[in-house]
Every structure is written in C-alpha cells, then in structure tokens.
Amino acid sequence: MPSRRTFLRQCGLALAASPVLSSLPSWLSSADGFESLRGGVGTFTQRGGTIGWLATPNGLAVVDTQSPDSAPDCWTGLQNRSQGPLSLVINTHHHGDHVGGNGVFAQHTDRLVAHANVPDLMRASAEDGAADDMTYPTDTFEETWSETVGNETLRLRHRGPAHTGGDAIVVFENANIVHVGDLVFNRAYPFIDVAGGADSKNWISSLGTIHDALDDDTIVIHGHGNPEFGITGGREDLLVMRNFLEALNEYVTQQRQAGASLEEMKQTEVLEGFEAFNFDWALSLADCIEAVYREQTTG
C-alpha cells in the first residue's frame, strides 16, 4: 500500500489531482490477478478498481480498465480466455483507477460505454494539459443501456448521483452477476466525490433499491474491498455500505446540531458497528466526515 497522499493523488481522490491510476495492492487476486466466477464472467485485480470481464467464444467485454500499467496484463490474460474480438469496454464512472487503462483497450475496440456525465467529469478532474491525452467513452447513456455479447446480455443502469455524478451499475443478466463499481467499497471507507457530483443520501437510497432488485444467488463485484472481505460478495454487502453511509450522515448531523466544529468531528476514529472499516487503508473516516459535512453545509 502506498502512502495515503500518493494513493489519493494517483486515484484522483485529491480534489486537485488528476484521476490517473491507483496502486491498490493485489491482496485479492490469484497470481495473475484473474478470478473466474461463473457464466464466463470474472474479475481482474492489480492496480486500481476491480475490472470485470466477460469471455465468450464469440467475444469479450470489459468493465473498467484500471491503469495504463495494469491494463496490458489484463488484455494479455483475456487472450487466453477467448479468441473472440473485444466487443466493448464499459466504465462504471470517471475516476482514474477505473478509466486510466481506456487507451490500452481502445487499441482493440472502438466502443467505450459510460454514463453521459462521464466525459465531462473526466475533463473537469484532469490536471492541466492532461485532458487531451485521455481516452473518453464513445457511447453514452442517460438511464439505461443494454447489449448482447455472445450468449450474455449486459444491462447498464444509472440511478442518479451517488459515489459520483455518473455511476453505472452493470448487470450480467444470464450469469446473475452485478458489477456495482465504487458504489460499494466492501468494508472500507469510501471516497465521496463531492466535487464530482456525489450525493451520499441518494447513494443510500440507490443501494437499497439495488439490493431489493437482486436475489440471494447474485454475485456482486465491488470496486474496492477490505482484504478480509474481498471484492466479490452478495447483495447483503450493499446493505453494509448503505448502513455505513446512513450512520455517517446521522453522525455529522448530530454533531453539527451539538455545535461541534468540523475539526472536532474528524477526531472520531470509528463509527460504532463499523469497526471493520478501520484498517490500513488510504481513505479515512475523517475524509468521509468532511465530505458529508461539505454536502450538508454547501448543498
């Protein structure tokens, strides 16, 4: 794990930083970073947000692209899983550890799909001069999108601002697998990107709605995860994330009503019931408190 400052800068989590890449440790992957789930769907973990992939005899699809350093390893590994062409790439949102490898995959497909807000969010968060070097989505959608790749149907849904202003939920319909991007940091303190259009209250609502639409057999792929809990799980993980965000909002509201300053609020090291979130991770409870404080006082 790099220093917190380095991680934030590389992920684009610092407000002035460019979303380029993250150096997430590969605690959650096999030796080559690949894990197969079912129905030709799997994950790749190396340097950034979790990549989801679909490998069928007739074609490939990729969800998120990590960084320019790790994306070639993912592409090489996918060649061993299907001889079909790369049909498309999906970005779950605009952060650099999820779109940084777009240029690598764009050498093999001319279709990159994301929510309509993602291109502008990528430009807005870029450091000076970096916007022209990014590889942007070519196809965008407002609320829903779907396409068939091989024998699998992929469906995208945007449920309003949450982690950012352009989050996409990706459903592998036949496999009953859902990639939720950074809507879930599995038992880890999340990044609430206020500058990028985040809305923690709608995030709470969205997680409940998504949970209710899934079943107990659904596999959920998370954008990031605590090493003890992993980057895949079930729909119950969405409720843990939702409950944390609810507790966070309640804490900030109560502290403001009691007259506490932001700096006083940020001294709290853990929220009761969410002790598992407090591990060696680049993001802190103080970051979350400050983000929700900003939402409540500037919204």
Side-chain angles (χ1 to χ4, degrees), residues 117-131:
N117 290 340
V118 167
D120 285 344
L121 287 168
M122 288 175 66
R123 294 185 186 95
S125 61
E127 291 181 336
D128 292 344

Side-chain angles (χ1 to χ4, degrees), residues 202-264:
N202 191 64
W203 192 345
I204 291 166
S205 175
S206 295
L207 288 169
T209 300
I210 299 166
H211 168 273
D212 292 346
L214 307 182
D215 59 47
D216 290 339
D217 190 47
T218 305
I219 296 174
V220 181
I221 300 172
H222 311 305
H224 300 277
N226 182 319
E228 183 179 347
F229 294 91
I231 47 83
T232 60
R235 65 176 185 156
E236 68 278 358
D237 296 330
L238 279 70
L239 297 186
V240 175
M241 186 83 261
R242 181 200 67 180
N243 293 346
F244 169 77
L245 292 169
E246 286 181 335
L248 177 66
N249 269 269
E250 290 171 4
Y251 171 79
V252 173
T253 298
Q254 291 170 359
Q255 291 296 304
R256 288 180 60 217
Q257 291 173 345
S261 69
L262 174 58
E263 290 308 312
E264 288 171 332

Side-chain angles (χ1 to χ4, degrees), residues 68-89:
D69 297 327
S70 61
D73 291 337
C74 183
W75 175 246
T76 298
L78 288 174
Q79 300 305 286
N80 298 325
R81 289 164 169 79
S82 173
Q83 299 305 307
L86 179 61
S87 298
L88 54 91
V89 170

Side-chain angles (χ1 to χ4, degrees), residues 8-65:
L8 295 177
R9 184 170 298 280
Q10 290 178 333
C11 285
L13 303 187
L15 293 180
S18 170
V20 180
L21 58 93
S22 81
S23 301
L24 194 67
S26 54
W27 355 269
L28 303 170
S29 64
S30 61
D32 64 355
F34 282 89
E35 293 290 347
S36 296
L37 298 175
R38 65 185 177 209
V41 179
T43 62
F44 175 81
T45 54
Q46 195 179 101
R47 292 179 58 82
T50 308
I51 290 179
W53 48 265
L54 168 68
T56 78
N58 300 317
L60 294 160
V62 172
V63 180
D64 287 338
T65 63

Side-chain angles (χ1 to χ4, degrees), residues 125-171:
S125 61
E127 291 181 336
D128 292 344
D132 292 341
D133 296 328
M134 291 182 174
T135 301
Y136 295 91
T138 59
D139 298 12
T140 61
F141 72 99
E142 293 285 351
E143 295 184 3
T144 61
W145 175 97
S146 67
E147 186 157 320
T148 298
V149 176
N151 60 355
E152 180 60 86
T153 298
L154 290 87
R155 298 190 184 277
L156 309 188
R157 179 70 181 263
H158 172 69
R159 294 190 173 277
H163 166 62
T164 71
D167 302 304
I169 303 145
V170 184
V171 178

